[in-house]
Amino acid sequence: MTKLAYLHEPGVLANLKSRYDINEIYTYTGNILIAVNPFQRLPHLYNSHMMAQYKGAAFGELSPHPFAVADAAYRLMRNEGISQSILVSGESGAGKTESTKLLMQYLAYMGGRSKSEGRTVEQQVLESNPVLEAFGNAKTLRNNNSSRFGKFVEIQFDQMGKISGAAIRTYLLERSRVCQVSDPERNYHCFYMLCAAPEEDMKKYKVGDPRKFHYLNQSKCYELSGVDESKEYIATKKAMDTVGISSEEQDAIFRVVAAILHLGNIEFTKGKEIDSSTPKDEKSWFHLKTAAELFMCDAKSLEDSLCKRIIVTRDETITKELDPEAAVDSRDALAKVVYSRLFDWLVDKINNSIGQDPNSKCLIGVLDIYGFESFKTNSFEQFCINLTNEKLQQHFNQHVFKMEQEEYTKEEINWSYIEFIDNKDVLDLIEKKPGGIIALLDEACMFPRSTHETFSQKLYQTFKNHKRFSKPKLARSDFTVSHYAGDVTYQTELFLDKNKDYVIAEHKDLLCASTCSFVSRLFPVSNEESSKQSKFSSIGARFKQQLQALLETLSSTEPHYIRCVKPNNLLKPAIFENQNVLQQLRCGGVMEAIRISCAGYPTKRPFLEFVHRFGILSPEVLKGSTDEVAVCKKLLDKVGLEGYQIGKTKVFLRAGQMAELDARRTEVLGRSASIIQRKIRSYMAKKNFTLLRRSAIFIQSVCRGELTRRIYERTRREASCIKIQKYLRMYLARKAYKELRLSAVSIQTGMRGMTARNELRFRQQTQAAILIQSYCRGYLARSKYIELKKATLTTQCAWRGRVARLELRKMKMAARETGALQAAKNKLEKQVEELTWRLQLEKRMRADLEEAKTRENAKLQTALEELQLQFKESKVTMLKEIEAAKVAAAEQQIPVVQEIPVIDHEMMDKVTAENEKLKAVVSSLETKIDETEKKYEETNKLSEERLKQAVEAESVIVKLKTNINRLEEKICDMESENKILRQQSLLTASKLLSENASPLPTKILENGYHASEVTTVNDILLQTPTKVYETPDSKPRRPPTDRHHEDVDTFLECVIKDVGFSQGKPVAAFTIYKCLLHWKSFECERTSVFDRLIQMIGSAIENQDSNNDHMAYWLSNTSTLLFLLEKSLKPAGTAGATPVRKGFRSPSSTSLAAAAAAIEKVRQVEAKYPALLFKQQLNAYVEKIYGIIRDNLKKDLGAILALCIQAPRTSKGSVLRSGRSFGKDSQTNHWMAIIDCLSSLLSTLTENFVPPFLVQKIFTQTFSYVNVQLFNSLLLRRECCTFSNGEYVKSGLAELELWCCQAKEEYSGSAWDELKHIRQAVGFLVIHQKYRISYDEIINDLCPILSVQQLYRICTLYWDDNYNTRSVSTEVISNMRVLMTEDSNTAVSNSFLLDDNSSIPFSMDELSSSLRVKDFFDVKPATDLLQNPAFEFLHD
C-alpha cells in the first residue's frame, strides 16, 4: 500500500477492490496486514505447502498473508528473545476468528511437537475452539458465528522454540444475551445444540423444540443455513473429551444449560398478598420443578429465591415479597449469573487441561477482540467494546509512529515531529477517576434509588462543556461520545442493571446448597462474602482492570497488527461496498496510520530501483557514473523536486512527488512511442498501397472476362426460354379446357344427386316426426299418471304415518303402567295375528283380481281384433263393389245411361245401409274399448292401494314385534331387579328404612340406555308394579328409552354447533366419541344414533360448498372422529376381544359393578355392523369434504393461472398505451393473488386445526394442478413460450417457493416438488445462448424430467421477444426428431400434455398413522353438555 503513487482514501479503496476482485484478499500497509473476508473457501491459500513457503521468508518478500505475520513474530521471538503479540481486530463478520485460527495453525506448525509425544499443547488449544464457540458465539445481524467475548491466547515457548504451554484469557462475555435476544439474532449456540441432541439426551434434560422456550423464541430465527445442530452437539462433546472434560462434568454442564432454559419459561402472577408474586400456572410450576431437579436443589427454595428477598438488619431479619415484575428480573439475574459462572469455569478448565509452563520466558499472544460497534440501539456492551477499541487505537497509533521514527533514524535523515491524533481525552472522559463516566456509573449503582434518568442528568451536568460529550436532541436519557471512528449515541436504560456484578445472596445460598457438586462449585465461598459484608463490584470496573492488564501485557511485547474487513453486509462473495469498507478502515485505524505515513515521507525507494525506473528522465546523467547516490541526486535536481531526503539505502519522497515523477516518466515514454508509431505507420501504408494496386489490376482482368461470359450465356438462355414458353402455354391451355369440362360434368352429377337425397331425407324426417309425436304424447300421458300416483301414495303414507305416531304415543302412555304391560302384549299379539290374517287375505284377493283382470283383458282384446277384422273386410268389399260399378258404367254405351239411375239408387241404398251398420258397430266397439280401459285403470288403482296397505301392514307388524321384544325385556329386567331388591330388603331392612329416599346405582344397559330406576324400600316390599317409575314426589317419570332419546337430541343440538377446539383438537369429535363409547353404541345390533349423526353431518355441510371455513371445521371433526374410531373399533370375532355381557339381566350387584369397571377400562371394543357401516360413511364424508375444499381452491386459482401465463404481454401493452398506469398494474399482482389464496386457505385450515397430513395433501394436489395448467398453457400457446414470459413465470415461481418456505414443511410437504415440469421448462426459457447447448446437457442437466416430445415442442415454439436470440441448434432439433420417430413405434401415447389427478390421495391407514392417541389426553368435552346431569360421565 505504501508504494502507491497517491496514498489517500480513494487510492487505498481502489487498490483493495482491485486485489479483492482477483481473490488477493490480503494487503500490507507498512507492517499492518489488511484481511478482506472473501465469504468463500480458498483452500489453496492455507495448505501445508503454503506454510512451508512462508517458513523463514523475509517479511514482504512473498505475497501478504497471515502466515507471514506469524512467521515474523516467531522469528523475532527466537532471534531477539522478545515476547510477541498479534492483534486481530475488526467488526462482527470480518473474519477475526478464522484469522486467529490460521495464526495458531501456523504457530503450531512452527513450534509444534511430533505426534509420538501424545496430545500436544497446540492440539488442545486448537481443539478448545469448538467448546468456546459453542458457549460464547451466537448469530448476530452481521455474522452467523459472532464471538460475543474477547479472547487473548498466550502461547508459551521453551528455549528450543517449541510450544510448552498456553493460556486463554476472556473479556466481557455478553451476559444479557442469555435473557434478551432481538429478531433475527439468536442466543448462544449451546442452547440450540441441546435442543437438537439425541432422543435419550432430550428426555434426560427435558428439552425439545426451541420454539417452546422463552429465552429462544424471542427471535424467529432458530436454524442456520448449512449447520446441523445435532452434528454440532456431537462435535462439541468430542471437543470436550479432547480438552479433558469428563463425561460427568459434561452431563452437569448440559444440565445447567437445560435448567437455564426452563428458568426462562417460569412466568409470575400476583400472589394473595400485596406486592407478592407466585408462578402463573401449571406450566410455570412444571418448569420450576424441572429447573430445581436439574439444579439438584429444593423446588420450594428456588421459588422463594425468585419471589422473595431477605433483608438483614441489626435486630431482625425481614422477608420482603417481590411483585411479578421484580420476580422476572430476579429470574433473569439468576440465569445470567449462572451462565457467566459456567463460561468462566469452562475457560479455567481448558487452561488447567492445557497447562502453563512456569519456566517459559517468551510467548506469542494472539488477541481476537471485537471491533468498533455502532448500532441504532447501543447499550452497555457497546460502551465497553468501544472503550477497548479506544485503548487499542491509542496503543496502535503509538506503535505506528514509533516505527516511522525508527526507520528515519536508521536511514539518518532529518525529520521533524509528526503530529498524530491522540484520543487521550476520550479515554479520560470514560475512565478517569473520580470524574469519568464509569466512575459516575459505579456511584449511581451504589445508590438504591438511582435510575438511568438520574444517571443521565448527572452526566449532562458533569460533561456539559466537554468537546467529546454531547446530548442528542429530543432525548431524555441518551448521550453521545465522539470516538476516533465517529460519534456513537448510547441508550442508558439498562446501564445500571448491566453494570451490577454482585450475586444475589438468596441465589448463591440456593445453588451452594445443591446436591450437585458441579453446581455448588460454580459459587465458591470467599473470605469477603463469608464475612456477610456485601462489597459492591461492577462490570465496568472489573472490565477496566482486565483491559489495563491486557494493555500491560501488550506493552511488554512487540505488537503485530491484522485488520479484518467485511466487504459487504450481505455476507456474500464478490461484493465490495466502498462506503462500508472505508468506515471499517477508519475504525481500524488504518487511515490514521496512512495519515501518519503521509505526514513524513510516505514513498521510499531503494537507489537501484529508483535509478532503474526514472533513469529515462535524464539519460545523460547515467553515462560514465557508478555512484547510485550521486545519480539519484542529479536526477532529482534535473527534474526540479524539493523537500526530498537521501538516506543510506533509500530515497525518501514527500507526498505527491512520486506521482509527479511518474507523470514525467509517462510523458517521456509517450513521446518515444509517438516517434516509433509514426515510422511504423509510414512503412505499413506504403506496403499496403503497393499490394492494393497489384490486386486491383488482377481483379479488373478477371471481372472483364466474367462479364463477357455472362452476356453470352444470357443471350443463349433467352432463346431457350422463348421456345419453352410456347410449348408450356399450349400445354396449359389444353389442360385448363379438360379440367373445366370435367368440373361441369361433376357439378351436374352432384346437383342431381343432392336433389334426390334431399327429397329422400324430407320423406324420412316426416315419417320420423309422426312417430316421435305419437310416442311423446304417450309418454306425457304416462308421466302425468305416474306423478298423480306418486302424490297419492305420498299423501297416504303421510296420513298413515301420522295415525301410526298417534297410536305409538297412545301405546307409550299405556306402557307407563307396569301392570298393563301383559295386557298390551296380548293385545299386540292379537293385532299381529289379525294383521297377518288381513295381509294373507289381501294377497289372495290381489291374486284373484290379477287373474280376473287378465282374463277380462284377453276377452276384450279378442273381441276388438274380431271387430277390427270385420271392419276391414267390409271396407274392402265396399271398395271392390264401388270399383266394379265404376267399371261397368264405363263399359256400357250412351243409350243405357237412362237405366243407370235406378240401378245406382239401389246400390247406393245398400252401400249406405251397410256403412251405417259398420259405423254403429265401430262406435259400439269404441265405447266398449273406453269402458274396458276405465275398468283397467280402476283395477290398477285398487291393486296399488291394496299393495300399499299390505306394505304398511308389514312395517306395522315389524314395529309391533320390536315393541313386544322391548316390553318383554323390560318385564324380565324388572322381575330380576325386584327379586334382588326383595333379597336385600330381607337381609338389611333397617338400613333400607334409614335410606328411604336414596337412589339405586345407575344401570348401564348394552345398547347405551341408562336404567336409573329410583325406588323406595316400601315400594319394593309391597311389590307394587305401578311405583317402579315414580319418584318420592309421586310424579311419574319417563321410561329409560324416552330419556335416552332426549339425551341424544340434546347431544346432537350441542355438537352441530361450533363448539370450538381444546388443546388443538376438535371438541365436537371428542364429545361424540366419548358419548358413543359410554352408550355402547358400537356394540349394538340395532341403533339409530349413527343414522342421526350421519344426517346431522350431511345437513351441516349442505349448501356450504363455497364456505371453506365451515368445511374446514367439519373436515377437522370428521377426520379426528374417524381416527378415534379406527383406533377403538375392531371387527366382531377378533381374537383377544374382551367379552361384553349380552342382555339386560344381572344376577347380583357385585357382578354389575365388576362388569361396569371392566367396560370402563376397555379401550378397544368389538364393533357390530352398524358401527362398521357408520365408519365407512364417515370415511366417505371425509373424502367428500376434502374434495370440496381442494376443488374450491382449484376453482379460485383457475382464472388467475390463465392471467399469470399471459401477464407479461398484457402489462407491456398497457405500459405502451398509457405510461401513467405503469407501476399500478404490476406483473406480480396475479401471482400475489395466488399467494393470497394459498395463505388464506392455510390460515383457515390451521385455525380449524385440520390435521397437517390432510393440509399437505391439499396443497400437494393444488401445486400439481398449477404445474399441469401452467405447463400445458406453455406448450399450447406460442406467445407464452418467450424469453420475457419465462422470466415473469420464474419470478412468480420464486414467490411460490418463498410461500412454501414460510408455510414450513409441516403444511407444505412436497408441494414445491410438484412444480418440477414448469420449473425446468421456465429454466430452459431464460437460458442465454441456447444454440451452444447440446442435447445431452438438456436431457441430463437442464430438463431431465421432460420427455422428448415436450422438449421438441418448447424448442420449436420458443422465440425471444427481448434480444432476438436463436433457439437451440438445428443439430439438437434433428436429434429430437429421430428420437421422436423411434419412440413413436414403441410408446403407447405421444401426447406431450400433462393430466391432472383428482383422486383422493390418501387412505384411512395413512390418516390414522399421522395422528397420535396421546394428543387427546387433555382434550375437554363440550361445556354445554358438562352442565347437563345426564352427561356426568363426561367429567371422568
Side-chain angles (χ1 to χ4, degrees), residues 202-220:
M202 292 174 64
K203 291 181 179 178
K204 180 179 181 181
Y205 303 121
K206 298 182 180 180
V207 295
D209 189 359
R211 296 171 179 81
K212 297 180 180 178
F213 295 103
H214 172 67
Y215 284 164
L216 304 183
N217 61 18
Q218 299 175 36
S219 169
K220 301 303 179 184

Side-chain angles (χ1 to χ4, degrees), residues 581-686:
V581 174
L582 182 60
Q583 180 62 25
Q584 293 179 63
L585 293 176
R586 290 171 178 167
C587 295
V590 176
M591 303 310 299
E592 180 64 19
I594 292 174
R595 191 201 66 78
I596 293 173
S597 179
C598 289
Y601 299 96
T603 306
K604 313 169 185 66
R605 291 288 186 274
F607 294 141
L608 182 61
E609 181 182 344
F610 185 81
V611 172
H612 178 73
R613 181 173 180 81
F614 298 108
I616 61 174
L617 297 179
S618 182
E620 64 276 6
V621 176
L622 302 177
K623 296 179 180 180
S625 177
T626 58
D627 188 3
E628 295 176 350
V629 178
V631 171
C632 291
K633 287 182 178 180
K634 290 179 181 179
L635 278 174
L636 292 170
D637 293 338
K638 186 75 174 178
V639 174
L641 294 181
E642 296 180 355
Y644 62 87
Q645 291 283 342
I646 303 295
K648 285 186 174 182
T649 60
K650 298 179 183 178
V651 175
F652 291 81
L653 301 178
R654 303 288 291 180
Q657 291 181 343
M658 188 69 177
E660 184 178 352
L661 289 174
D662 282 334
R664 295 191 181 187
R665 179 174 178 273
T666 303
E667 184 179 355
V668 172
L669 291 175
R671 286 198 301 269
S672 303
S674 298
I675 296 172
I676 295 171
Q677 290 172 358
R678 184 179 65 199
K679 297 293 184 183
I680 291 177
R681 285 170 183 160
S682 175
Y683 168 75
M684 294 299 293
K686 188 183 298 181

Side-chain angles (χ1 to χ4, degrees), residues 161-216:
K162 299 296 182 181
I163 297 176
S164 59
I168 300 175
R169 316 291 182 209
T170 59
Y171 304 95
L172 191 63
L173 176 70
E174 188 178 355
R175 299 196 302 177
S176 60
R177 181 173 291 271
V178 177
C179 306
Q180 298 172 356
V181 183
S182 58
D183 197 22
E185 296 187 354
R186 291 205 325 169
N187 215 315
Y188 291 106
H189 295 328
C190 60
F191 294 113
Y192 303 93
M193 292 179 186
L194 184 60
C195 291
E199 189 68 24
E200 58 273 11
D201 288 357
M202 292 174 64
K203 291 181 179 178
K204 180 179 181 181
Y205 303 121
K206 298 182 180 180
V207 295
D209 189 359
R211 296 171 179 81
K212 297 180 180 178
F213 295 103
H214 172 67
Y215 284 164
L216 304 183

Side-chain angles (χ1 to χ4, degrees), residues 5-56:
Y6 295 96
L7 200 59
H8 46 56
E9 292 182 354
V12 171
L13 279 177
N15 183 36
L16 289 177
K17 188 177 187 307
S18 61
R19 291 177 64 83
Y20 181 73
D21 291 340
I22 59 175
N23 281 337
E24 292 290 339
I25 61 174
Y26 297 112
T27 308
Y28 287 138
T29 301
N31 292 333
I32 306 168
L33 177 67
I34 300 176
V36 184
N37 194 341
F39 294 117
Q40 59 181 339
R41 295 291 180 185
L42 301 175
H44 65 282
L45 293 179
Y46 310 114
N47 51 28
S48 57
H49 176 69
M50 187 65 69
M51 287 191 286
Q53 283 187 341
Y54 280 93
K55 183 178 181 180

Side-chain angles (χ1 to χ4, degrees), residues 799-809 811 956 959:
W799 176 254
R800 288 169 183 154
R802 181 182 176 187
V803 172
R805 282 191 294 273
L806 292 174
E807 289 293 332
L808 180 62
R809 191 175 294 112
M811 289 171 61
V956 171
K959 291 180 180 178

Side-chain angles (χ1 to χ4, degrees), residues 88 120 211 270 452 557 839 998 1002 1221 1318:
V88 183
T120 58
R211 296 171 179 81
K270 292 183 179 180
H452 67 281
T557 61
L839 178 62
S998 61
T1002 302
S1221 65
I1318 187 63

